[in-house]
Amino acid sequence: MRKYLEVFLWGLVISALGTLPLGTLNVAAMQMAITEGLLQGIYFSLGVALMEVIYVRVSLVGVHWLRQHANYLRWMDWIAFIIVLTLAAGSFYAALYPSESKSFVLITKISAFILGLLMSALNPLQIPFWLAWSSYLFSKNLLHHKSASYNWYTIGIGIGTLTSLAIFVYSGRLLVDRLNAHENIVNYVIGIIFLVTAIIQLIKIIKQKGLAESTEKKAAELEIAEQSTG
């Protein structure tokens, strides 16, 4: 039981710390809480965490497929760029025209949970991130080729992601309450964060250091780590 608790804690800590730096999903969770309320922000976070757990589990059992088909993931670089750029534009528009702007949830009538699932699914950067960490844990004999080990690992990851996203969700509401009617200031800040993220993503694409190359490299490392501990 101790080894399962250990891998659970590794997944929780890595996920929590990895989610804390400003990024598309945690800022989107904050914006959801600001525009739609705390409950919708929580639903969005649940969708994000669920999809991340699915990605991790797929990467663990499908590492050979990822290595052979990494080039098919290249288009996700551009999708990620378009999504973040759209979110930036939406935030700036909401700041400039608060009375006219509507949230993405209201426009599409899509649930916050489903939106979290979709945005997390179209966030490709987590694939090489978790391939790298799983490779490290395999190499240190902390993660084992057992279903129970995978389960505890992914449960820890899900809880870690939810914990960090909850910080953004509640801080977003607290920030708006403190600023009272100055919600446009928050939208400007969120828009700038999204814009900077989009620029970084575009630079990566131009330099051809995209998702496919990184995914293939990390998948190869994970495969080697699996073989060395098998």
Side-chain angles (χ1 to χ4, degrees):
M1 185 64 189
R2 180 180 177 182
K3 61 182 180 181
Y4 295 142
L5 178 60
E6 191 173 43
V7 76
F8 166 82
L9 291 175
W10 270 102
L12 189 151
V13 172
I14 294 169
S15 182
L17 295 178
T19 309
L20 281 177
L22 291 177
T24 305
L25 294 175
N26 50 28
V27 175
M30 178 188 289
Q31 189 178 44
M32 181 67 66
I34 290 171
T35 58
E36 302 297 325
L38 279 175
L39 188 58
Q40 296 302 311
I42 293 171
Y43 286 151
F44 178 86
S45 300
L46 286 171
V48 170
L50 176 60
M51 183 53 65
E52 184 168 18
V53 166
I54 292 173
Y55 264 142
V56 173
R57 196 59 187 260
V58 169
S59 72
L60 289 172
V61 299
V63 61
H64 304 293
W65 185 94
L66 284 172
R67 188 178 180 186
Q68 294 173 1
H69 299 84
N71 286 330
Y72 293 143
L73 302 176
R74 194 177 299 278
W75 57 271
M76 293 181 73
D77 278 325
W78 282 107
I79 291 181
F81 167 71
I82 293 171
I83 289 174
V84 178
L85 193 62
T86 302
L87 290 171
S91 297
F92 286 128
Y93 187 85
L96 291 170
Y97 308 101
S99 61
E100 299 179 15
S101 61
K102 293 182 179 180
S103 70
F104 187 81
V105 172
L106 290 177
I107 293 173
T108 60
K109 296 182 180 180
I110 189 172
S111 73
F113 176 76
I114 298 299
L115 181 60
L117 277 174
L118 293 175
M119 286 190 64
S120 184
L122 293 174
N123 176 41
L125 300 179
Q126 58 191 313
I127 299 176
F129 175 84
W130 283 114
L131 283 173
W133 273 109
S134 297
S135 176
Y136 172 80
L137 294 177
F138 272 123
S139 68
K140 297 299 181 180
N141 206 30
L142 295 168
L143 182 61
H144 304 278
H145 304 288
K146 295 180 180 179
S147 180
S149 184
Y150 289 172
N151 289 339
W152 282 100
Y153 182 50
T154 52
I155 290 172
I157 289 169
I159 294 175
T161 298
L162 284 174
T163 301
S164 289
L165 287 177
I167 295 174
F168 284 87
V169 167
Y170 282 96
S171 63
R173 284 309 313 171
L174 180 63
L175 185 61
V176 169
D177 292 341
R178 290 290 181 89
L179 292 174
N180 295 323
H182 301 288
E183 188 175 316
N184 62 319
I185 297 176
V186 179
N187 283 320
Y188 274 124
V189 173
I190 292 175
I192 291 171
I193 293 171
F194 280 140
L195 183 59
V196 171
T197 303
I199 293 172
I200 294 173
Q201 179 70 10
L202 181 60
I203 291 173
K204 285 179 57 182
I205 294 173
I206 293 173
K207 289 184 176 181
Q208 296 182 345
K209 292 182 179 179
L211 174 67
E213 179 183 344
S214 179
T215 299
E216 186 173 5
K217 179 180 177 181
K218 298 304 181 184
E221 292 174 356
L222 179 55
E223 191 171 1
I224 293 171
E226 286 182 337
Q227 293 172 354
S228 65
T229 58

